Amino acid sequence: MDALKPQRNEPARMERLAKLPVFWGLEGKRVVLAGGSDGAAWKAELLLACGAELHLYCEASELSESFAVLVAKSQMLRWHDRPWGSDIFGGAELALADCETDAEAASFYAAARAAGVPVNVIDKPKFCQFQFGSIVNRSPVVVSISTDGAAPILAQAIRRRIETLLPLSLRDWGALAQTIRERVNLRLAPGASRRSFWEKFVDRAFTERLDEGSEERLLADIGMQAARAGSGRGLVTLVGAGPGDAELLTLKAVRALQAADVILFDDLVSAEVLELARREAKRMLVGKRGGRESCRQEDINDMMIRLAKAGKRVVRLKSGDPMIFGRAGEEIAALEAENIPVEIVPGITAASAMASRLGVSLTHRDHAQSVRFITGHSRQGRLPENIDWKSLSDPSVTTVFYMGGRTAAEIEAVLLAHGMPALTPVAIMISVSRSNEQRWCGSLTQLAAAVERLGVNEPVLIGIGDAFGAASSAMSRSSPLIQKVG
């Protein structure tokens, strides 16, 4: 089982943060604000919206028209017609000020700090212990965006995009979550069953309209989850991580990663994909790479079974699509033999990513009548013995060889021997969709030499057939990450 120990540095659970995002409860709390400008008035509106008891300190001559309207209509805002002083901070939860000069800002900052009150001087970052972000309000759902003062316009643009993604009904779903939370906590113990319930709740919040029967359906779900939790069994989800680019993950894959207790991931899964996983999830590398020391499939199967029987939600994270050369069949059979529930989340397979990156269609009707995915090595590390090479030697058949780097010379020789034209187009991609991606286009007789020069230390994908005839021109129009060999 030593092969199951981590074999590389895992990505940090949390990268460096410019500021700690904190949501501060201010209901009924005393907050002091110095200055009566329009900018201060906007901060006052935010504070009052949180239920704060706001004390404003400024002389009448400094009170803006908009602030005067706010003073007149708000019962939670008390205006003190005087400048601020060191006596205003007693019992305050927060202190804010709008100061014209750095000298006044420094004085206010020092006085608030001396009183032990967190302080913010508007538009003067060096005199701020905390900052305000751009807000998307679906309270009790609140989203705040910060760029640490570096690019406020970017934060506003992000807020506009989020506004379009979050339905207005999310406010009501958030309120319903507060209503049923106690019942959920009483019926479902912390862990997989409770997370599963809330995941389904979230799916409904984004896809269903809230109606009179919504609460009843949710309570029924609680009962179903409680019954399942009583069985003591966990769940295994086989998730396709795609070829490497995290943006190619499906939404369902991301939700599975966010729900996992344990993630067993392949060596080819990128750090960017793992970064999307739940922070608390235990991550275990169980990689298998050709020509390198690898975990035994039997050990991986045993680990999934043991974890699931312990009630864990296990994600088996596989590069590409788990159902294409991912040994999913063996894992599914092992899990089903132990009556462990298993779900499959498909991923983008490397051949599809290859076609997209090259800008070619694998089934272009002018060039290809079929497409085939072939493994480049068998259990013995050689080309499989039962390949129908005669049918593959037809250039109108688009063939993509997975894991064919070490057998490229044999692939070239066998196809030529079975009559494939020497000038049949060939494309090679290494580490498709990743930052170290390499590409090559040429003809069949150049295949072995090209692979030898490119190397086989990273995942190699070989595409053969007339469909790749347009790849050279497509490559010249696309990414500069191109290496031609010829």
Side-chain angles (χ1 to χ4, degrees), residues 187-189 191-200 220-237 259-261 307-315 339-344:
R187 295 291 304 280
L188 302 176
S193 59
R194 188 182 291 181
R195 282 200 308 277
S196 179
F197 169 80
W198 286 117
E199 287 159 15
K200 291 182 178 179
D221 281 347
I222 296 175
M224 291 175 59
Q225 288 295 332
R228 179 174 172 179
S231 69
R233 291 281 173 133
L235 170 72
V236 175
T237 305
D261 296 310
L307 290 168
K309 286 185 174 181
K312 304 295 185 182
R313 296 192 66 167
V314 181
V315 163
N339 295 316
I340 293 171
V342 56
E343 297 179 354
I344 296 96

Side-chain angles (χ1 to χ4, degrees), residues 13-184:
R13 287 180 179 267
M14 178 61 71
E15 300 295 335
R16 185 183 182 280
L17 286 171
K19 292 289 186 297
L20 178 67
V22 174
F23 290 85
W24 206 311
L26 293 176
E27 187 73 33
K29 302 293 181 63
R30 172 184 165 85
V31 176
V32 297
L33 173 60
S37 66
D38 286 337
W42 170 236
K43 294 296 190 291
E45 287 192 56
L46 290 174
L47 295 165
L48 292 169
C50 293
E53 179 187 296
L54 183 61
H55 290 257
L56 171 65
Y57 293 87
C58 75
E59 295 177 327
S61 60
E62 299 177 358
L63 198 64
S64 69
E65 184 176 341
S66 59
F67 220 146
V69 172
L70 189 61
V71 168
K73 70 178 184 180
S74 176
Q75 296 180 349
M76 294 296 292
L77 195 163
R78 182 180 175 187
W79 173 35
H80 303 266
D81 187 4
R82 48 158 286 197
W84 71 270
S86 59
D87 61 319
I88 73 171
F89 299 103
E93 191 80 4
L94 298 175
L96 293 88
D98 189 3
C99 302
E100 292 187 3
T101 67
D102 281 359
E104 183 186 4
S107 296
F108 187 89
Y109 179 82
R113 290 294 305 273
V117 180
V119 58
N120 174 287
V121 179
I122 299 168
D123 292 334
K124 295 188 182 299
K126 65 181 180 180
F127 299 114
C128 294
Q129 287 182 282
F130 64 92
Q131 296 173 341
F132 291 80
S134 294
I135 293 174
V136 178
N137 186 10
R138 301 287 189 274
S139 189
V141 178
V142 179
V143 180
S144 182
I145 305 105
S146 169
T147 60
D148 196 31
I153 193 68
L154 177 60
Q156 294 169 18
I158 294 170
R159 179 187 61 79
R160 289 194 298 270
R161 295 200 176 191
I162 294 176
E163 287 276 10
T164 66
L165 295 174
L166 301 186
L168 292 175
S169 61
L170 209 59
R171 186 188 313 271
D172 297 326
W173 281 97
L176 180 57
Q178 288 181 320
T179 299
I180 66 173
R181 189 176 190 85
E182 184 66 25
R183 279 173 282 187
V184 173

Side-chain angles (χ1 to χ4, degrees), residues 426-445:
V426 173
I428 301 171
M429 292 198 75
I430 295 177
S431 298
V432 59
S433 86
R434 299 171 185 248
S435 60
N436 60 335
E437 176 185 288
Q438 296 184 73
R439 312 174 186 182
W440 175 89
C441 277
S443 62
L444 179 59
T445 54

Side-chain angles (χ1 to χ4, degrees), residues 191-193 195-196 199 228 232-240 252-253 255-265 277-278 281-284 286 299-318 331 335 340-345:
S193 59
R195 282 200 308 277
S196 179
E199 287 159 15
R228 179 174 172 179
R233 291 281 173 133
L235 170 72
V236 175
T237 305
L238 308 184
V239 176
K252 193 168 185 178
R255 285 200 295 268
L257 289 171
Q258 289 288 318
D261 296 310
V262 182
I263 299 171
L264 307 180
F265 63 97
R278 192 168 72 94
K282 183 176 182 181
R283 308 173 192 186
M284 303 188 70
V286 293
D299 291 337
I300 298 173
N301 293 348
D302 290 345
M303 176 167 281
M304 288 191 295
I305 292 168
R306 177 169 55 81
L307 290 168
K309 286 185 174 181
K312 304 295 185 182
R313 296 192 66 167
V314 181
V315 163
R316 176 72 175 95
L317 189 60
K318 295 171 172 287
E331 295 179 354
L335 293 165
I340 293 171
V342 56
E343 297 179 354
I344 296 96
V345 178

